Amino acid sequence: MRKPNSEESGGATGRRARGELESGVLAALWAADEPLTARHVQERLPGDLAYTTVLTILSRLHDKGMLVRHPAGRGYAYAPVRDEASDTAVRMHSLLERGSDREAVLTRFVSELSQEDEQLLHRLLGEQDAGRSDDGQ
């Protein structure tokens, strides 16, 4: 017999995938127009996470330098240091740096892009090249 919601919380073990909670907290903060308190973050997350769990995740993200916090009442309001696109780009760059064969990694990455993403990448690279030639570089 399976536990209810076992699929939603990471399969038969009932555990979430590594980083899933942090990703959810970051997504809630990126979607907000202003810094959020732990209570407001908790309200925006699916499921019934304990308030203390949300506080722990926010503190860890702050300690990692991913969030800034400002005094708000007796606690803090949190905001991401970078927007979602910038954060994803930093993580992609970090992964690329860890690989031993950059060409193989980039080749595999490009080969798995959708046709639309490949065309977008070509266009963006063309704009980069045009910008360099305008600067005389």
Side-chain angles (χ1 to χ4, degrees):
M1 187 165 139
R2 292 177 56 166
K3 290 181 184 177
N5 298 327
S6 64
E7 288 179 22
E8 294 173 31
S9 59
T13 65
R15 295 187 57 93
R16 289 178 178 84
R18 184 170 182 235
E20 184 179 339
L21 289 176
E22 286 185 358
S23 295
V25 167
L26 283 169
L29 290 167
W30 283 321
D33 295 330
E34 59 189 11
L36 299 177
T37 64
R39 181 73 60 207
H40 289 125
V41 171
Q42 180 188 27
E43 291 169 358
R44 288 168 166 75
L45 295 173
D48 57 348
L49 283 177
Y51 176 77
T52 54
T53 300
V54 175
L55 271 177
T56 299
I57 296 163
L58 288 166
S59 293
R60 286 181 181 166
L61 289 169
H62 177 263
D63 292 345
K64 291 178 180 181
M66 298 178 76
L67 302 179
V68 293
R69 65 183 181 195
H70 312 282
R74 295 189 302 168
Y76 294 101
Y78 295 84
V81 170
R82 294 182 289 266
D83 64 24
E84 184 177 11
S86 296
D87 184 70
T88 302
V90 165
R91 285 190 277 148
M92 290 171 66
H93 189 267
S94 175
L95 288 170
L96 182 59
E97 290 295 317
R98 283 193 272 169
S100 59
D101 185 347
R102 286 179 86 90
E103 184 175 349
V105 171
L106 287 169
T107 300
R108 179 64 57 93
F109 176 76
V110 170
S111 72
E112 294 184 15
L113 290 175
S114 68
Q115 183 78 23
E116 294 79 19
D117 286 343
E118 189 175 340
Q119 290 171 354
L120 175 60
L121 185 58
H122 277 291
R123 182 177 60 79
L124 293 171
L125 290 170
E127 289 172 7
Q128 286 283 353
D129 287 342
R132 286 189 184 126
S133 63
D134 291 344
D135 293 342
Q137 293 179 357

